[in-house]
Amino acid sequence: MNLKGRHFLKLKDYTPEEIVYLIDLAAQLKAKKKQGIRHDGLAGKNVALIFEKTSTRTRCAFETAAYDLGMHVTYLDPSGSQIGKKESIADTARVLGRMYDGIEYRGFGQDIVEELARYAGVPVWNGLTNEFHPTQMLADMLTIREHLGRLKGVKLVYMGDARFNMGNSLMVTAAKLGMHFVACTSEKYFPEKALVEYCRETAAETGASVVLTEDVKEGTKDADVIYTDVWVSMGEPDDIWEERLHDLMPYQVNRTAMENAKPGAVFMHCLPAFHDLNTGIGREVYEKFGFRELEVTNEVFEGPQSVVFDEAENRMHTIKAVMAATLSEENYLK
């Protein structure tokens, strides 16, 4: 399979076979790293990382993956680029495309990364937009396969706000890979209807299913994976926090939810997580609203079913697979 020159913007653009190929490639590259086997076949190439939204895991994963592949990296933080401010997205793309072999973008609307890809002339990778988070999906799928031994037929339950990048991306990925996806949340936080229909049409071809439910007991019953994400972003006003906490606290991942899942079920979270008072935001929420734990209890987060740090590590291996596959004709998967 040759993916050289392809963009990686959303998994709607990839076939199930291509997604599995990238997961397989990530597993092989992970094994090479663990064994100390060099895989720096992209020496001499350069990549630009545009971060309009900062991140710990995404930046570190892209940088370490690039270095392992032999590449050089330029990091552009929110103040380090004129994209969309003094310079148009199209012009930025054409400038960077002349200097770099690949471009990563993490920021706001999906339309921005799509426009970058349209004009860059080199592969563009989506590190996160409001609508989709495809590199996280590969890490999640590799983690699930490592712990459960399979993807097809797995029941994945997403609890919380399913309207944006994580709910959207997990639903698309599950539909593509023959998994059973459940959005377990209040109806006002269900994914957008058009995307649900797309996923159900895809699911009909792959043996997957897509269910939306407000019933926690029914939604989590016999789950293989229970997944959640933060409910509110930094900087949002107090009235938004209050509304989300009121609406979503019934969908907190706690012992009851995990005990309703299969005995071997795993808990997943893309991080960061507000599971205690050891963060500034966690303390602020407690002082204002009285909640010590938000989307997941500390008992579950630190418990034996939690695989969140395996998941975080796998960001590096799967991002490495994406860059290797899109920048080289070499068949890394041997």
Side-chain angles (χ1 to χ4, degrees), residues 82-109:
Q82 298 299 335
I83 184 170
K85 298 186 282 285
K86 288 186 178 179
E87 187 167 51
S88 70
I89 296 165
D91 289 357
T92 300
R94 287 179 284 190
V95 169
L96 295 181
R98 299 289 185 98
M99 300 180 181
Y100 293 93
D101 299 286
I103 302 167
E104 179 270 354
Y105 173 82
R106 178 184 174 93
F108 299 97

Side-chain angles (χ1 to χ4, degrees), residues 230 232-235 241 272-274 276-289 291 294:
V230 293
V232 194
S233 299
M234 287 180 61
W241 278 94
F274 300 128
D276 56 24
L277 299 182
N278 294 329
T279 64
I281 292 178
R283 289 190 294 273
E284 182 181 345
V285 171
Y286 175 68
E287 290 166 4
K288 290 182 177 179
F289 305 106
F291 294 108
L294 299 185

Side-chain angles (χ1 to χ4, degrees), residues 66-312:
Y67 297 147
D68 282 353
L69 291 170
M71 298 192 290
H72 298 285
V73 172
T74 299
Y75 173 75
L76 299 170
D77 67 16
S79 64
S81 166
Q82 298 299 335
I83 184 170
K85 298 186 282 285
K86 288 186 178 179
E87 187 167 51
S88 70
I89 296 165
D91 289 357
T92 300
R94 287 179 284 190
V95 169
L96 295 181
R98 299 289 185 98
M99 300 180 181
Y100 293 93
D101 299 286
I103 302 167
E104 179 270 354
Y105 173 82
R106 178 184 174 93
F108 299 97
Q110 181 72 16
D111 58 315
I112 297 174
V113 76
E114 299 277 353
E115 188 171 1
L116 278 171
R118 192 155 55 248
Y119 289 98
V122 297
V124 172
W125 311 298
N126 179 0
L128 173 141
T129 62
N130 294 339
E131 294 85 355
F132 294 106
H133 199 356
T135 58
Q136 181 69 50
M137 293 305 99
L138 295 183
D140 293 342
M141 296 306 115
L142 177 60
T143 307
I144 292 170
R145 197 173 71 176
E146 287 174 340
H147 284 272
L148 301 183
R150 71 195 196 284
L151 291 171
K152 194 170 183 65
V154 164
K155 179 178 178 179
L156 188 154
V157 180
Y158 182 82
M159 300 179 71
D161 190 343
R163 299 172 298 173
F164 301 115
N165 47 41
M166 287 307 301
N168 290 345
S169 297
L170 286 165
M171 184 170 62
V172 168
T173 307
K176 291 264 186 178
L177 298 182
M179 302 166 69
H180 302 298
F181 175 82
V182 178
C184 184
T185 185
S186 168
E187 184 176 4
K188 67 191 284 188
Y189 297 97
F190 284 171
E192 193 260 334
K193 289 182 179 179
L195 186 61
V196 172
E197 288 308 308
Y198 165 84
C199 290
R200 284 178 169 158
E201 290 171 5
T202 302
E205 300 173 1
T206 64
S209 64
V210 174
V211 172
L212 312 179
T213 182
E214 295 185 291
D215 188 327
V216 173
K217 188 172 182 179
E218 185 60 33
T220 59
K221 183 180 179 182
D222 295 329
D224 295 293
V225 179
I226 295 184
Y227 201 122
T228 193
D229 187 16
V230 293
W231 293 340
V232 194
S233 299
M234 287 180 61
E236 292 191 286
D238 284 358
D239 58 336
I240 296 294
W241 278 94
E242 190 170 13
E243 178 186 15
R244 299 270 179 83
L245 291 169
H246 172 268
D247 293 343
L248 295 176
M249 194 55 71
Y251 301 97
Q252 180 189 68
V253 181
N254 51 34
R255 179 194 293 184
T256 301
M258 293 306 299
E259 287 180 346
N260 198 43
K262 286 182 180 175
V266 296
F267 167 72
M268 301 181 72
H269 193 305
C270 55
L271 303 183
F274 300 128
H275 58 97
D276 56 24
L277 299 182
N278 294 329
T279 64
I281 292 178
R283 289 190 294 273
E284 182 181 345
V285 171
Y286 175 68
E287 290 166 4
K288 290 182 177 179
F289 305 106
F291 294 108
R292 290 182 170 273
E293 305 159 311
L294 299 185
E295 71 275 6
V296 57
T297 62
N298 196 58
E299 178 183 29
V300 170
F301 186 88
E302 298 290 0
Q305 292 171 284
S306 176
V307 298
V308 297
F309 296 109
D310 293 342
E311 191 181 355

